[in-house]
Amino acid sequence: MALALAALLYIGLSIDSAAQGQGGSLPRPVLRAEPGSVVVRGSTVTLWCEGAWKAQEFRLYKEGHKDRWSSKIPGTPGNRTAFFIWSMTKDNAGRYFCFYQSPAGWSDHSEPLELVVTENSSNSFTLPSEPDSRPNCPPADHTAQNLLRLGLALLVLVALVWLLAEDWLSRKKCRLELQAGDVGDGRRLGGPG
């Protein structure tokens, strides 16, 4: 019986980890620029890629480049990392997006972030102020994973109740057999004959 319980537990955990590893289970990262996405030529800009907790690696890509633009492996798993452009040039202008990897796999890419370079800080034009560069990401839907966990917990609970009932019935049967044997022996010893 213990072997069957262990097998059920193993199967349930395997299904759960497989469900977590499927695409779409990780929230999309958010890519934002500090001090902003409009940068004066020659100044420094920091691109923050923010993902889920325990992210193990972050990758930054620039549109039009087939290879990743930069990659970072944080010293300790966390939820964000910074990519620096130390001296902004026209070559650095463009659309960027990022990914992250966690124990559950790779995320989808972030919404693109457009970096614009200007010639000086006293531009004759002004861009409309941007709203918060973080998109309103809906909360991740973990319904299927939670239902799987609840089902696994129910299976384990039923198996434990079954084990307890089987143990209780076998002990009761042994007690009844012992009592029946004592009564039977007492009748033979004390009875006529």
Side-chain angles (χ1 to χ4, degrees), residues 4-118:
L5 182 60
L8 282 174
L9 185 61
Y10 175 75
I11 290 170
L13 291 176
S14 297
I15 291 172
D16 182 44
S17 63
Q20 286 182 353
Q22 293 175 350
S25 64
L26 294 172
R28 285 179 99 164
V30 175
L31 183 61
R32 60 186 178 86
E34 283 183 6
S37 60
V38 179
V39 184
V40 177
R41 187 171 48 109
S43 64
T44 300
V45 66
T46 305
L47 299 177
W48 287 98
C49 182
E50 298 180 53
W53 284 104
K54 295 190 179 178
Q56 299 166 331
E57 182 178 352
F58 293 89
R59 290 187 179 174
L60 182 68
Y61 287 82
K62 183 177 178 195
E63 195 172 80
H65 291 260
K66 66 176 187 167
D67 296 325
R68 69 177 170 258
W69 192 75
S70 185
S71 179
K72 283 218 174 166
I73 299 174
T76 59
N79 72 327
R80 71 181 194 161
T81 195
F83 297 94
F84 299 98
I85 300 175
W86 296 108
S87 181
M88 189 69 178
T89 65
K90 291 235 183 242
D91 292 337
N92 299 125
R95 293 168 55 104
Y96 290 83
F97 52 96
C98 68
F99 295 87
Y100 67 92
Q101 181 184 29
S102 75
W106 283 98
S107 70
D108 288 333
H109 65 78
S110 66
E111 291 292 324
L113 172 73
E114 182 81 30
L115 275 187
V116 178
V117 66
T118 62

Side-chain angles (χ1 to χ4, degrees), residues 19 23-27 138-147:
S25 64
L26 294 172
D141 183 17
H142 298 287
T143 306
Q145 293 171 352
N146 290 338
L147 287 174

